[in-house]
Amino acid sequence: MNLHEYQARELLSQHGVPVPPGEVAASAEQAEAAAACIGGQVVVKAQVHSGGRGKAGGVKLAGGPAEAREAAEQILGTAIRGLPVHQVLVAPAADIRREIYVSFVLDRAEKTVSLIASAEGGVDIEEVAATSPESIVRAHADPLLGFQPWQAREVAFRLGLGGAHVRQFADIAMKLYEVFTENDASLVEVNPLAEVGSGELQALDAKVTLDDNGLFRHRHLAALRDTSQEDPSEVRAAQAGINYVKLDGEIGCMVNGAGLAMATMDMVKLYGGEPANFLDIGGGATAEQVTAALNIILSDPNVKAVLINIFGGIARCDVVAHGIVEALEHVERRVPMVVRLEGTNAEEGRRILENAHLHSAVSLSEVAELAVRLVTGDASAPKELPVSTSEA
Amino acid sequence: MNLHEYQARELLSQHGVPVPPGEVAASAEQAEAAAACIGGQVVVKAQVHSGGRGKAGGVKLAGGPAEAREAAEQILGTAIRGLPVHQVLVAPAADIRREIYVSFVLDRAEKTVSLIASAEGGVDIEEVAATSPESIVRAHADPLLGFQPWQAREVAFRLGLGGAHVRQFADIAMKLYEVFTENDASLVEVNPLAEVGSGELQALDAKVTLDDNGLFRHRHLAALRDTSQEDPSEVRAAQAGINYVKLDGEIGCMVNGAGLAMATMDMVKLYGGEPANFLDIGGGATAEQVTAALNIILSDPNVKAVLINIFGGIARCDVVAHGIVEALEHVERRVPMVVRLEGTNAEEGRRILENAHLHSAVSLSEVAELAVRLVTGDASAPKELPVSTSEA
Amino acid sequence: MSILVDRNTRLLVQGITGREGEFHTTQMVEYGTQVVAGVTPGGGGKAVAGAPVYNTVHEAVAETGANTSIIFVPAPFAPDAVYEAAANGIELIVCITEGIPALDEVKMYRYVREQGARLLGPNCPGVTTVGEAKVGIIPGNIHIPGPVGLVSRSGTLTYEAVAALTAAQIGQSTVVGIGGDPVPGTSFVDTLRMFEEDAETRGVVLIGEIGGTAEEEAAEYITEMSKPVVGFIAGRTAPPGRRMGHAGAIISGGRGTAEEKVRALEAANVQVATTPAEIADFVDLALAAG
Amino acid sequence: MSILVDRNTRLLVQGITGREGEFHTTQMVEYGTQVVAGVTPGGGGKAVAGAPVYNTVHEAVAETGANTSIIFVPAPFAPDAVYEAAANGIELIVCITEGIPALDEVKMYRYVREQGARLLGPNCPGVTTVGEAKVGIIPGNIHIPGPVGLVSRSGTLTYEAVAALTAAQIGQSTVVGIGGDPVPGTSFVDTLRMFEEDAETRGVVLIGEIGGTAEEEAAEYITEMSKPVVGFIAGRTAPPGRRMGHAGAIISGGRGTAEEKVRALEAANVQVATTPAEIADFVDLALAAG
């Protein structure tokens, strides 16, 4: 789960990271008032869960309240990379002397939390990694001790900092690590950490991504979720405990397990079709989940056929079959459907489908091929093929 | 540093440990009011840094406010094992069904924090350890993970707890561990953890000892120190950074290093004398510290002679010698004194003493023997002996 | 013989009285696994599918000599269960639970290694040594015994691959699901190393997916292996920047793509199949060549 | 030959620009110790007693090949310095600092071992291999070289014992102060084991004090030793229940008394002296008998 910049700044500030003042505004009037309150030149920044805001026109400099109002008017209500902008952050325009990149990430290779920093801040870190990898400094937290001050100092020296900046950087890094661990983050990024006119280091932009699996320990953070920044059907899916990612194709997929779901999408593509979505109904899929999944898939108007592929382990095919039969009575829209059940209680599942006059395919290849045929309009699909269509 | 029971209870309560209500009273009137407020039978407990309060008459049961007043009158202003009672705790008399002992301690042998528990609570745990060691259950916190819930549950089962008590005990144990680690304790003890009439487990008495070395991280706890519970000269010594323990003999000792201080006391005893104190002036003893140490030693009216034994490592004998010379100009009382300087800059130290017409002994045996002779009144100590007396 | 579990595995089920625990205990017993004990705090004295239930792992191990544990405990309590198993001498801990916070996984990984034990998972389907012991939730009836080891980051895709092998009459030695979480207790490399040393295994199937660098690390080790390896990578069509489910499967910053992984594996002489059915074809060829 | 430090010790001083760090660096250099570097964050580029100062241990080790470190850093920052040394490949870390919280010592102990390094201290006077290297604050001029190893929990009492040996013309191989804190990095047993294996050492003096059970554990190991051990226990006259200074020396619950320790040592055939002078007498006898 992503936080907005203003939420991330507040979290950092609570942990003592120096963050310049700033106010969130949901209207041009509020932005104007905020600029007046802050005084001087301000920067107006779209609050949106997307990178590259600057290039997309989501960040504007304003000389005073009137200009801030104008900037907010231009930004609010637009969409950046498809995401709606409902709020802007108004902050003083900083006199930037130097820009540093610093982040903590969950590091799979090192199996711990790692710091990543670069003296080339203010730009996309992935670009820096590609063009000048030697400028990137890393340090790994030992799980017994957590990140230690000596590590932060060493990074500071490697970044070429000196004097009071070493202590300041170390202090900020220790606090960012605390933000990471105390909130079960998977990314805490400050870019840039800037030396401003006063000589002080300040976090001018902040990004925090939380580990969804850790949210049960942080209810107050879970409440910060801004579902306006997510696809509504993905939000509905998440509420039903379903992993759903909307894509651009025509074949809706319902699969149990992320790996099998991806493999199923790959098979659809291999047979010439385009998957409309990734959907993993999760471990112990119940009838309710199947119904919910089907409705989510069908809420996508592009979907012309549905492929269900269930290989039961924890999920039991009989339960899934019941779910399918039940769901068909409640779905909002009817499209052709192909089903394949395998694994735990598969035979019983197939029997249940059969009793409801639904037949099932026997392999992944077969079910994928059938789904593609349904969409490419091969209406002459031979009757003996185990295709079950729920079309009227 | 020890906390009073009422302070320990509050600390535990802040961490969510169930503690019955209770009020501190500094006068009989306050105790009466507290009893009225609590209602029913209450227990009035002396707040004093000493064990065995019950046997010493420091804990009394009272049927109501009037009796509570009477009990407080009897307890307040007395001394228990030499420590003055300035406050009492008034708490409801519990209907106790079962008493458990549970504590966390810094475990030197295991080199971590350990839980110690026994189903035989409410009595002195050292007695339990001596009489029925098999009833004592231990569990050690792994430094990587800290104390874990499974350990707390296992202890609960071993104590013979069942049903909801297992969960309750585990919950309380986890919180006590948190109290220990978050406050740099060296002991957190609840005795008894009692099953009361409602069936709930409650911490009826609590003892917390803090690691003095950790106090710099917990200024608010350092402020809880009750110096009325310590010897005033020990308090003065601590403020000067000196380790001082008052004893009952006549020979005041000033030594650098705890081990050498103990060995010096042992030598005094070996030669038939009785040390008046343990005193370690610490690592880098300055002139101010020597002066302070000398004044602390001489504030004990029993002291008839002073033995100074310094083996310089970090401490430099020249600094110590300067301190002695300076101190002699400011001390409140004059008694015979023998000095022995050895180690870093010892020769310069001895020269400084000599210039001030003070001579020094050459060995620990010699200085101990001389000190004892001074006290046993062997006034005929031959002049050629390197005895320096500052007596007029 | 075979890897991780076998006839001599004495299995303890943690969370045995829960819905999943009970269901899969029955399934494992039916497969022939020696389920010697269960643990549910407060459930001591009960029995599930013939296995006595204890309050603590300590008691269960002392009474039954359990040496392997499988965990069906909800995510907030699963790390505690893993620690309890590792602290009490369990040698192999199979953690089925999904949804464990990554910071807990970091500690689980470290602690279990320090105790000299092995963790499989979390968020994995477990391990089956065909015809000997099933410690997990992989459907038992899809296997036939044989010379091919299989290791996978995925759950149900593992079943798909096994079913494809079985359909082609290619039997399996041991099938291992290492799980798709960010910090798995056992890696591809760990498992490949065990297969390399296992006398019963003649070739290995590796099922990977997008995200992370586990397949690239595996490819590096495979260059040192004497046995043939056939690969499969799920997520060739996944768009970058979107997380495909709980599997931690995400292509970010141009890293972790299926192309990269296929390239790395092929550079290590691994034939990479594009469909489950093709896995079986490639294995057939590899075994015939070997 | 000798233990812990010798001619080949390449010493790094952490906190070298502080008052104590600077003073004792000079003393160590004068003794003949190879002080190759110092570290003070922000002090890089300076020099103390001829040793170049670096900002980080990493840099110091890379530039000078330091293999041993001594720490003169105030208590709140000393654990960090220990971790930095251990993480950067220092093999022996001597921590002079006193006043470190016990919970930090628990982590220091564990971490340094995990890194495969050794910690001496904290709150210790360090170690001197007579005539070769002094890594600590034990006055250099009290030693003469010879066949006796000495290990002590105490600071200045160590000097006293060494001085007594020297006065009796009994030379020392290595003198080790393990420190008196609750969780020392190196124990009596660790040190005795090194002396037992050291060809230069023919006998050992062990200086203990009241509190804890370190002397009892030592006694147990001594029964396995081939070399004679002479003991001394400070605190025979200390009253129970009073903590004698920072040394963690306290008799509580009737445990940790001098009597118990003397009894345990004597049961292990250790002659326990009652005065420092007697230590020398007993050593003389033991070496003559050996």
Side-chain angles (χ1 to χ4, degrees), chain B residues 106 108 111 113 126 142-143 211 213 217 234 243 245 247 256-260 266 269-270 278 311-314 340, chain D residues 24 99-104 106 109-110 137 139 154 156 159-160 212 235-237 239 242-246 248 253 275:
Chain B
L106 183 84
R108 290 162 166 233
K111 301 188 194 306
V113 178
E126 277 159 11
D142 184 272
D211 177 359
N213 287 347
R217 294 200 271 238
E234 292 183 14
N243 289 303
V245 177
L247 302 170
N256 67 325
L260 188 57
D266 293 349
K269 187 102 173 180
L270 194 70
F278 164 94
F311 208 127
I314 283 190
R340 184 262 193 145
Chain D
H24 288 289
I100 296 176
L103 286 176
D104 285 337
V106 166
Y109 180 85
R110 176 78 166 255
I137 60 173
S154 164
T156 48
Y159 318 163
E160 188 72 55
R236 291 172 183 247
T237 58
R242 309 301 308 273
R243 204 165 77 115
M244 297 285 126
H246 272 212
T275 71

Side-chain angles (χ1 to χ4, degrees), chain A residues 47-365:
Chain A
Q47 297 300 287
V48 68
H49 288 178
S50 158
R53 288 176 304 179
K55 288 181 196 158
V59 179
K60 292 186 190 295
L61 208 62
E67 281 184 33
R69 180 192 182 101
E70 208 174 310
E73 269 166 2
Q74 286 167 10
I75 297 172
L76 285 166
T78 61
I80 292 182
R81 297 195 182 170
L83 300 176
V85 182
H86 296 306
Q87 291 161 310
V88 292
L89 176 71
V90 183
D95 169 18
I96 298 175
R97 305 256 171 108
R98 182 213 296 253
E99 293 183 298
I100 294 164
Y101 172 93
V102 59
S103 70
F104 281 95
V105 297
L106 183 85
D107 187 332
R108 289 162 167 234
E110 297 288 333
K111 301 190 193 307
T112 187
V113 178
S114 293
L115 173 148
I116 299 174
S118 168
E120 300 181 27
V123 295
D124 184 5
I125 190 67
E126 278 158 10
E127 226 174 278
V128 177
T131 56
S132 49
E134 75 291 346
S135 84
I136 291 186
V137 178
R138 287 166 211 273
H140 315 297
D142 183 272
L144 169 65
L145 304 176
F147 199 73
Q148 288 291 316
W150 72 265
Q151 300 182 284
R153 284 196 310 269
E154 184 166 308
V155 169
F157 286 118
R158 287 197 183 176
L159 293 177
L161 296 179
H165 285 149
V166 173
R167 197 192 39 69
Q168 264 184 57
F169 177 88
D171 186 55
I172 290 168
M174 294 309 292
K175 285 167 177 164
L176 293 176
Y177 178 72
E178 195 183 283
V179 170
F180 192 103
T181 54
E182 291 191 2
N183 299 288
D184 275 294
S186 53
L187 171 71
V188 173
E189 181 183 75
V190 174
N191 189 20
L193 177 67
E195 181 189 342
V196 294
S198 64
E200 196 203 13
L201 297 179
Q202 284 190 340
L204 293 195
D205 196 354
K207 185 176 174 190
V208 170
T209 306
L210 301 173
D211 177 0
D212 288 342
N213 287 347
L215 281 178
F216 72 88
R217 294 200 271 237
H218 312 284
R219 296 278 171 223
H220 62 291
L221 292 175
L224 296 181
R225 171 161 247 142
D226 178 0
T227 51
S228 82
Q229 301 294 308
E230 301 169 36
D231 184 284
S233 49
E234 292 182 14
V235 174
R236 259 169 72 202
Q239 281 159 354
I242 292 166
N243 289 304
Y244 173 79
V245 177
K246 202 185 159 315
L247 302 170
D248 299 326
E250 300 175 322
I251 298 175
C253 299
M254 183 194 310
V255 189
N256 67 325
L260 188 58
M262 286 190 282
T264 303
M265 287 157 58
D266 293 349
M267 290 295 284
V268 165
K269 187 102 174 182
L270 194 70
Y271 282 99
E274 284 290 339
N277 61 272
F278 164 94
L279 188 149
D280 167 13
I281 56 166
T286 61
E288 290 75 38
Q289 269 174 301
V290 174
T291 308
L294 208 49
N295 279 329
I296 287 159
I297 291 170
L298 293 174
S299 70
D300 176 357
N302 291 340
V303 168
K304 298 219 167 60
V306 172
L307 182 169
I308 299 180
N309 182 22
I310 303 294
F311 209 127
I314 282 190
R316 293 169 224 163
C317 293
D318 54 334
V319 173
V320 174
H322 273 305
I324 294 171
V325 173
E326 228 180 280
L328 288 180
E329 291 167 16
H330 299 99
V331 289
E332 293 145 4
R333 192 163 69 91
R334 307 209 142 194
V335 299
M337 182 185 299
V338 289
V339 184
R340 184 262 192 147
L341 298 179
E342 194 53 80
T344 308
N345 299 4
E347 278 178 37
E348 206 183 323
R350 292 190 204 113
R351 196 163 49 241
I352 291 163
L353 291 182
E354 232 165 300
N355 290 344
H357 309 289
L358 294 165
H359 302 270
S360 20
V362 294
S363 77
L364 173 51
S365 307

